[in-house]
Amino acid sequence: MAGRRPPTLQDVATALGLTANTISRALNDKSGVNAATRARIKAEAERLGYVPNVHARSLVLGSRRTIGVIVSNISNPFFADLVSEVELQAQHAGYTVLLLLSYESADRERDAIDRALRSGLDGVIAAPVQERSAAWAPVIKAGIPLVLVSREMPDLGVDFFSNDNAAGIRLTTDAVLARGARDVVLVDEDMPFSTIRLRIEGFRQSLERAGLPFDARQNLALVPPARSFRVSQSWHADDAYRVASDLLDRGRRPDAFVVGDDYYALGLYRALRERQLRVPDDVMVMGWGNHPFTRFMEPPLSTLLLPFEEVARRATRRLLDRIQGIGETGVVTERIAPELVIRASSER
């Protein structure tokens, strides 16, 4: 017995006495169909079991209905959240996602870009390595819409979405200053990223607004990068532990530490504990990222909740608008404010 053929767009149109064009516009949330009719069409499509043939549509439009996402490593919790949200948004719009990883290597990034070009993607969302903006020129030359997230390359002239790094570090630094700290050290990664540069600048601004001097030799404790193709986590608590231990063993006893990632706070806690320094009585600590473990630390870690899901939503919507040729024509840059989460590690 021959199998029952799947319902078509025309079947939905015939059942409702409408044109196939009206059905298509309603199911794709296009203008020109009122809310009541749109709801009736969607209900009938669901009743009939109609599923759009995305592959056939792609052939007609000359599109693969696929977007690429190029990030360093999805074990980085920020990028894991970002990729998950991009995939959800893309799926809702009828697109699939091709994930490509750079592992913070310019060569690996170039390979990912080459693969994206060969795959005929409709658009790309990327957190670039930032060593060579020229590597992205072929994407722009090919007319493929490109949206950057987290790390900025202004010379490319493309849309950019990120959490506000400078504002975020000002929030954490201002919080410990308001609680009496006068000697504050920023622990962050020693990498040439715009995110880190902006955090250092925001940190400096907070100190100077409080009438305190900023001296990179005294106020910065940079963690050497420990990235490789095998690294599963971008930040290592043991690296922060070694940097903090060296600083403390040289006689530095700051009133507070603010860190560029909660994982650094894990190593910092141990270095302080081994030297009988109590958090927050002797030293306050502020984190970054609000990772799930932070509320289980002892004491629970004050930190910063980053809006990476919102960054991903806005970036994906912007990319889809670019692909469809709608929306704002100029370059869009958005930095979304993070949210301070106060816990015991900064409360005296």
Side-chain angles (χ1 to χ4, degrees):
M1 181 184 294
R4 177 178 176 271
R5 71 170 178 81
T8 66
L9 193 74
Q10 187 57 54
D11 291 332
V12 181
T14 300
L16 294 174
L18 299 170
T19 67
N21 181 60
T22 300
I23 303 300
S24 176
R25 296 191 69 81
L27 294 179
N28 287 289
D29 292 321
K30 297 293 181 65
S31 61
V33 183
N34 66 50
T37 302
R38 188 186 306 275
R40 191 159 59 97
I41 289 170
K42 289 186 176 182
E44 183 63 14
E46 182 175 356
R47 187 188 71 79
L48 292 175
Y50 169 71
V51 178
N53 187 336
V54 174
H55 178 67
R57 185 180 178 198
S58 297
L59 292 175
V60 172
L61 297 177
S63 162
R64 285 195 56 189
R65 304 283 294 182
T66 302
I67 62 175
V69 178
I70 303 177
V71 296
S72 62
N73 192 331
I74 56 171
S75 64
N76 177 327
F78 301 146
F79 292 143
D81 289 345
L82 185 142
V83 170
S84 295
E85 188 62 31
V86 169
E87 200 278 334
L88 286 173
Q89 295 293 323
Q91 184 182 53
H92 179 72
Y95 285 76
T96 57
V97 171
L98 174 64
L99 176 62
L100 301 166
L101 303 178
S102 69
Y103 295 95
E104 304 298 6
S105 160
D107 290 338
R108 294 274 295 229
E109 181 179 73
R110 187 179 62 251
D111 291 343
I113 292 169
D114 288 345
R115 184 176 173 189
L117 290 168
R118 292 196 307 271
S119 298
L121 300 178
D122 296 286
V124 174
I125 293 175
V129 172
Q130 289 196 305
E131 288 186 14
R132 295 182 294 199
S133 61
W136 294 94
V139 176
I140 297 170
K141 184 177 180 180
I144 299 172
L146 172 64
V147 174
L148 299 185
V149 291
S150 184
R151 301 169 184 174
E152 194 171 9
M153 286 183 164
D155 58 311
L156 289 179
V158 298
D159 302 312
F160 172 72
F161 296 83
S162 177
N163 62 278
D164 194 327
N165 282 274
I169 205 70
R170 286 195 296 267
L171 280 175
T172 59
T173 306
D174 288 349
V176 295
L177 292 173
R179 289 160 174 77
R182 287 298 173 265
D183 183 3
V184 186
V185 170
L186 169 64
V187 180
D188 212 335
E189 191 174 22
D190 189 10
M191 290 289 278
F193 298 146
S194 60
T195 50
I196 296 171
R197 175 179 54 78
L198 288 168
R199 287 200 290 267
I200 292 174
E201 177 61 18
F203 176 67
R204 181 190 64 78
Q205 291 170 354
S206 283
L207 294 184
E208 292 181 350
R209 285 191 310 188
L212 300 171
F214 170 77
D215 183 337
R217 294 168 299 179
Q218 293 294 313
N219 297 112
L220 298 181
L222 298 182
V223 178
R227 299 172 187 265
S228 72
F229 294 163
R230 293 182 173 272
V231 170
S232 61
Q233 177 50 256
S234 301
W235 305 279
H236 288 275
D238 53 349
D239 292 327
Y241 165 76
R242 285 191 290 271
V243 168
S245 295
D246 179 66
L247 182 146
L248 294 168
D249 288 344
R250 287 188 280 110
R252 287 281 280 116
R253 292 291 190 275
D255 301 320
F257 286 96
V258 295
V259 302
D261 187 79
D262 293 333
Y263 281 90
Y264 287 161
L266 288 173
L268 179 59
Y269 266 39
R270 179 178 175 182
L272 293 169
R273 188 169 56 249
E274 288 180 351
R275 289 153 183 84
Q276 287 76 54
L277 295 171
R278 298 168 299 169
V279 178
D281 297 338
D282 298 316
V283 182
M284 291 181 281
V285 179
M286 293 290 306
W288 181 280
N290 196 37
H291 295 314
F293 61 79
T294 53
R295 56 195 179 93
F296 298 105
M297 295 172 68
E298 185 54 43
L301 181 67
S302 293
T303 185
L304 203 68
L305 175 62
L306 302 177
F308 259 67
E309 289 185 358
E310 183 61 24
V311 168
R313 278 192 287 271
R314 296 190 192 186
T316 308
R317 290 170 189 158
R318 180 58 174 162
L319 182 67
L320 294 174
D321 284 351
R322 286 288 194 189
I323 291 169
Q324 296 165 16
I326 61 177
E328 171 65 44
T329 57
V331 174
V332 171
T333 296
E334 293 187 12
R335 295 179 176 86
I336 305 168
E339 179 182 337
L340 196 62
V341 180
I342 295 295
R343 299 192 181 106
S345 70
S346 63
E347 295 296 275
R348 286 181 174 172

